[in-house]
Structure formats: C-alpha cells, structure tokens
C-alpha cells in the first residue's frame, strides 16, 4: 500500500483539503455521478430532487451493487424509492424503512422466509443504518465498546486441566491484543487440554480480533491451513461495483491513499474470494488444547459465531447453553450523506465451506441461561454443566431450543443497531494490485 510522502506532487495540496473536497463532492455526486453509474441496462435515479430524495436513491443504488443478495433486488424504476417513502414523516425513519424493505427480497429456500427477517420493529436482522460518518478507510468500521476479556481461570479436576476464558466482545485488535496475549499466555503455563470459551454475551465485533483469538487457541501445526473465507457478491468480485468510486479508501490513520497515480477508492479493493481467504498463523504460546467447549446464548452472534465455525473443522467443539443468534454475514460501512450504512456484504465460510447457520447454531447441551451469572464460578449453571460434560458425568443431548426458550422470548437480545455490538466488521479491505 502506498501512502503520501512529502515529495509527491499531491502533497502540495493539504490532505485535509482533499478530504474536505471529497466530502463536499458527495452531495453533488448523488445528483450527477450516481445517475451515470449503471449496471448495463439499469435505469438509475434522476439528476434533480431534494436531499432526502437523493439519499433514498443512493441507499438503493449502493445496495444494487454491494448488498450480498443484490441479485434479488428489482431495478430502480420498479422499486421507486422516492415515491415509496414520500409519506414517511421523519427522514431517518424513511431511510430505515427503505433498508428494511431492501433486506426482505432474498428468500432463504430452507425456511421460505427472508434471510434478514427479524421480529424487532421492522428492522433487518443484519443490515443497519445510523447517523454519522466513518473516518477509517480500509477499516470502514464502527465503534465496538466493551472489554474483550471478562474473566479467566484455570480449573484442575483430578488429572484434567481446564482453561476458562469469557470474552465479552471483539473490539479492535489494537485495543485488545495485549490483554488477549497476556490471558492466553497465562493459561498456557498449565498446558490445559480442555478450553471453555464463554461467549454467551458476545455479540461480535471486528473479524480480525476473532481471527486473532483463533490463532491463540490453535497449535502451530495448523499454520497455513484455511481458517475461513469471505465471499462477496459477483458484482464486487468482478470489480463492477463502480458506485464505490465515490467512497475514498483511507488508511488505518484516516488518510487518503495514492493508488495507480490517483486517490484510491473502495472500488479499487480486491473483493475476490481468493483475496479474502484467511489462514491460520499461530500466536502466543498455548499449544495444548485438544477439545473446545463454548458457552453460547441468543446473544452469541456474528464474529463470535465466526470463531466457533473456524474451530469446528479442527477441534472437537461442543456448544453448551442456548441457540446462537445466527449471523454468518459481515459488512463494511459506506458513507451516504450524513449516515453510515452497513449493508450485509459478504458470507463467511469455514475451511469445510460451511456457512448455513442463519437460524443459529443449536447447542449440544441445552442449559437455560441464569439472569446474573458469576462468570468463572464453577457452580454457575453453564460452567457447572460444561465441567460435568468434560468429566463424563453427563452426555450431550441436543434438542430444539424452541421448547427450552419459549419462556424467554421476551428477553431475547436486540442486537440490531447497537453501537457497542454491531456484528462482524471487516477492517482489512485490501487494494487490488
């Protein structure tokens, strides 16, 4: 990746001024340039209208090119975003209603229902929109709050050594790496064979941080083996998402980048599956784990489910608790007017090509979550059951979670549109060379 240096002719113009021009030009690009972005025979939006109308147009036109299931979307003249939301009272309600409608076109053949169907006030299950603009470039990410590590301990059970680690979220790796290194190096000293990961409250976060945890768990013998891949739609993979020319590509410090003699944009990113396949690369000193037990709930989502999926081909993985949320898709943000929009953009597949957990992962052992668990307490119901499972005192007996969770439906978590739990963000978009 090339960055500015003080000898480059572009440096005569200040970086801040360039960024200012890019942001100012967005509004006019909605009026003029978006009208020229075509998917061959598609008719796009008019060149005149109000700011709200241009934003409605833009949300739909971006979805037509970068949404994971863009093949199911109608053309502009059929969808008619301006007319469809003309009577919606507030601007943001109109935009969110549009995003919801976009998200309901693709049907999951296994269920006969939309992939993004949710029960939460007509909000998509995965995609979302919020006020504000992202400033990170290749990362295009939102803010993930919360601690990575909530609790850890070593449990000695006769001759068995069990390591327990509760992970609350996957914040940016720069914020979490040192703590994760410390915790996993500490548990490595006793060479545990069994690892209990407590992900019951982990709604996800950055993909790179979840991947880092997988590399802390994996032995060095897995180096070079496929961990997972990200599969974007064919428009992105074939470099035909021309609308992304209006999204500047910025480096990790929020600075513009020169690519092939001009300012890079998100249209210059490599979206091919081969360019977005990630392999194990051992981190830390832990080498002894053979079996992984993971405590899960309806709050376990996205990057947490990615971690589970990545480990399944290589470890004996057992899930304890309640069915997970079900989110095998991720996204990167695009700025549209004064909003950042997260459209489901890629499907996560593990080394075996598995990605079909849209309805959640069923546990191997169903346990109703206690309301206020003391994490790491061996008498806490989920950890107690996990230890009994490891010790052979009980057997895994998977059953449909519906019957077990029927009394907890009103308490199911709302993961949508929470800034501190916004799923699976890819912050390593790489330029094509």
């Amino acid at each position: 990746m090339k960055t500015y240096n003080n000898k480059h002719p572009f440096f005569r113009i200040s970086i801040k001024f360039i960024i200012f021009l890019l942001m100012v030009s967005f509004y006019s690009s909605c009026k003029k340039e978006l009208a020229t972005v075509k998917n061959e025979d598609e008719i796009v939006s008019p060149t005149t209208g109000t700011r709200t109308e241009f934003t409605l147009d833009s949300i739909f036109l971006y979805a037509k090119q970068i949404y994971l299931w863009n093949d199911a979307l109608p053309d502009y003249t059929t969808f008619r975003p301006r007319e469809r939301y003309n009577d919606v009272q507030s601007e943001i309600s109109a935009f969110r209603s549009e995003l919801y409608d976009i998200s309901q076109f693709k049907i999951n053949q296994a269920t006969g229902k939309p992939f993004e169907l949710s029960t939460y006030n007509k909000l998509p299950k995965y995609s979302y929109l919020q006020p504000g603009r992202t400033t990170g470039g290749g990362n295009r990410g939102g803010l993930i709050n919360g601690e990575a590590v909530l609790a850890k301990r070593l449990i000695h059970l006769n001759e068995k050594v069990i390591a327990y680690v509760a992970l609350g979220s996957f914040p940016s790796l720069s914020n979490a790496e040192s703590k994760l290194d410390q915790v996993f190096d500490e548990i490595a000293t006793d060479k545990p064979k069994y690892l209990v990961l407590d992900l019951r409250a982990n709604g996800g976060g950055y993909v790179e941080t979840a991947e880092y945890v997988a590399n802390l768990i994996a032995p060095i013998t897995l180096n070079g083996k496929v961990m997972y891949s990200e599969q974007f739609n064919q428009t992105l993979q074939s470099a035909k998402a021309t609308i992304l020319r209006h999204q500047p590509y910025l480096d990790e410090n929020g600075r513009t980048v020169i690519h092939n003699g001009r300012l890079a944009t998100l249209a210059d990113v490599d979206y091919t599956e081969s360019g977005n396949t990630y392999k194990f690369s051992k981190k830390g000193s832990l080498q002894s784990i053979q079996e992984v037990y993971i405590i899960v709930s309806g709050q376990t989502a996205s990057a947490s489910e990615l971690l589970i999926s990545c480990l399944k081909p290589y470890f004996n993985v057992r899930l304890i608790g309640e069915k997970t949320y079900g989110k095998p898709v991720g996204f990167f943000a695009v700025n549209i007017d004064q909003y950042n929009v997260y459209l489901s953009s890629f499907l996560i597949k593990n080394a075996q090509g598995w990605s079909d957990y849209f309805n959640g992962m069923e546990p191997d052992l169903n346990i109703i979550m206690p309301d206020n668990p003391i994490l790491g307490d061996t008498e806490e119901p989920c950890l107690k059951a996990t230890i009994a499972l490891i010790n052979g005192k009980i057997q895994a007996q998977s059953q449909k979670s519906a019957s077990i969770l029927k009394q907890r439906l009103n308490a199911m978590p709302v993961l949508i549109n929470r800034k501190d739990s916004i799923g699976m963000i890819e912050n390593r978009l790489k330029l094509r060379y």
Side-chain angles (χ1 to χ4, degrees):
M1 180 184 296
K2 298 180 181 178
T3 56
Y4 280 113
N5 62 68
N6 57 10
K7 294 182 180 180
H8 198 285
F10 275 95
F11 202 80
R12 296 173 185 174
I13 303 174
S14 72
I15 293 173
K16 289 184 179 179
F17 184 62
I18 293 174
I19 295 174
F20 173 76
L21 287 177
L22 287 166
M23 293 178 67
V24 170
S25 68
F26 178 81
Y27 180 68
S28 61
S29 75
C30 288
K31 297 165 63 176
K32 297 184 297 181
E33 295 180 87
L34 287 183
T36 66
V37 175
K38 297 183 180 181
N39 281 331
E40 297 178 352
D41 60 340
E42 182 179 354
I43 300 173
V44 294
S45 62
T47 58
T48 59
T50 66
R51 184 171 188 163
T52 298
E53 287 174 333
F54 290 132
T55 302
L56 287 167
D57 288 346
S58 296
I59 291 170
F60 179 76
L61 294 174
Y62 271 96
K64 279 291 288 181
Q65 295 195 12
I66 73 171
Y67 187 52
L68 177 60
W69 297 292
N70 66 342
D71 61 314
L73 300 182
D75 60 24
Y76 176 86
T77 55
T78 301
F79 190 75
R80 299 184 301 122
R82 297 186 181 199
E83 293 81 1
R84 186 183 288 241
Y85 308 102
N86 185 52
D87 296 329
V88 179
Q89 290 186 346
S90 73
E91 179 182 82
I92 194 167
S93 294
F95 301 155
R96 285 178 171 159
S97 293
E98 179 183 24
L99 188 63
Y100 175 80
D101 289 344
I102 288 170
S103 74
Q104 301 305 294
F105 279 99
K106 187 67 173 182
I107 303 300
N108 184 342
Q109 296 302 315
T111 65
K113 298 177 181 179
F115 280 102
E116 292 216 52
L117 180 66
S118 82
T119 59
Y120 303 119
N121 301 319
K122 294 194 72 174
L123 294 172
K125 186 175 182 180
Y126 310 133
S127 302
Y128 72 99
L129 169 151
Q130 63 186 24
R133 295 174 63 88
T134 60
T135 56
N139 53 34
R140 312 297 293 184
L143 175 67
I144 300 292
N145 296 318
E147 293 292 327
V149 181
L150 301 179
K152 64 95 179 174
R153 68 172 297 179
L154 284 164
I155 301 167
H156 293 264
L157 186 67
N158 298 323
E159 295 182 356
K160 294 183 174 69
V161 181
I162 305 167
Y164 170 89
V165 180
L167 299 175
S169 68
F170 295 114
S172 66
L173 187 57
S174 60
N175 290 329
E177 184 174 353
S178 61
K179 182 63 175 180
L180 290 170
D181 286 343
Q182 175 189 340
V183 166
F184 279 86
D185 282 344
E186 286 174 358
I187 65 175
T189 57
D190 281 23
K191 296 181 174 56
K193 175 182 176 181
Y194 308 94
L195 173 64
V196 179
L197 279 180
D198 196 333
L199 302 179
R200 75 181 81 189
N202 193 321
Y206 287 101
V207 175
E208 68 166 346
T209 308
E211 177 185 324
Y212 192 82
V213 172
N215 280 319
L216 286 169
I217 295 168
I220 198 169
T221 53
L222 291 186
N223 277 1
K225 294 185 182 298
V226 171
M227 185 186 292
Y228 66 94
S229 62
E230 297 169 351
Q231 186 179 63
F232 294 84
N233 68 35
Q234 285 303 309
T235 307
L236 284 165
Q237 289 198 52
S238 59
K240 293 181 179 178
T242 51
I243 199 167
L244 290 177
R245 293 179 302 186
H246 307 298
Q247 299 287 326
Y249 181 96
L250 308 177
D251 66 17
E252 60 272 15
N253 297 312
R255 300 192 183 106
T256 51
V257 172
I258 294 297
H259 179 66
N260 293 334
R262 57 172 174 75
L263 291 176
T265 70
L266 291 189
D268 297 310
V269 167
D270 181 2
Y271 296 104
T272 63
E273 188 167 349
S274 60
N276 292 278
T277 295
Y278 296 86
K279 299 180 179 181
F280 282 96
S281 177
K282 176 62 186 169
K283 308 296 181 186
S285 57
L286 182 63
Q287 297 278 357
S288 56
I289 299 301
Q290 296 180 31
E291 297 183 18
V292 181
Y293 296 77
I294 304 177
I295 298 173
V296 297
S297 75
Q299 289 185 333
T300 306
S302 208
S304 284
E305 293 170 307
L306 162 66
L307 178 58
I308 297 169
S309 174
C310 290
L311 297 177
K312 276 181 170 289
Y314 303 105
F315 291 91
N316 178 18
V317 175
R318 296 291 184 90
L319 304 185
I320 299 93
E322 299 171 351
K323 186 170 72 169
T324 67
Y325 184 73
K327 186 178 183 295
V329 301
F331 35 52
F332 57 92
V334 293
N335 292 321
I336 298 179
D337 194 28
Q338 296 305 308
Y339 299 89
N340 52 65
V341 181
Y342 293 84
L343 288 155
S344 297
S345 301
F346 59 86
L347 181 69
I348 287 285
K349 302 193 302 183
N350 71 7
Q352 296 172 333
W354 181 60
S355 60
D356 189 15
Y357 50 93
F358 290 97
N359 296 317
M361 300 178 185
E362 289 284 352
D364 298 289
L365 181 64
N366 283 281
I367 303 291
I368 294 178
M369 292 284 127
D371 290 332
N372 297 294
I374 301 175
L375 299 180
D377 184 349
T378 54
E379 291 301 310
E380 184 274 317
C382 291
L383 181 55
K384 184 175 182 179
T386 304
I387 293 172
L389 189 60
I390 293 171
N391 207 31
K393 292 184 178 180
I394 58 175
Q395 299 296 317
Q397 294 180 345
S398 179
Q399 62 188 87
K400 293 294 182 182
S401 294
S403 61
I404 291 180
L405 299 182
K406 64 183 179 181
Q407 297 178 351
R408 292 173 52 82
L409 290 178
N410 294 331
M412 289 298 286
V414 179
L415 297 178
I416 304 165
N417 293 322
R418 281 178 47 190
K419 287 189 73 175
D420 61 339
S421 184
I422 52 180
M424 185 150 49
I425 302 172
E426 181 50 80
N427 65 335
R428 298 162 298 173
L429 298 178
K430 303 179 290 291
L431 295 175
R432 293 190 311 273
Y433 286 97

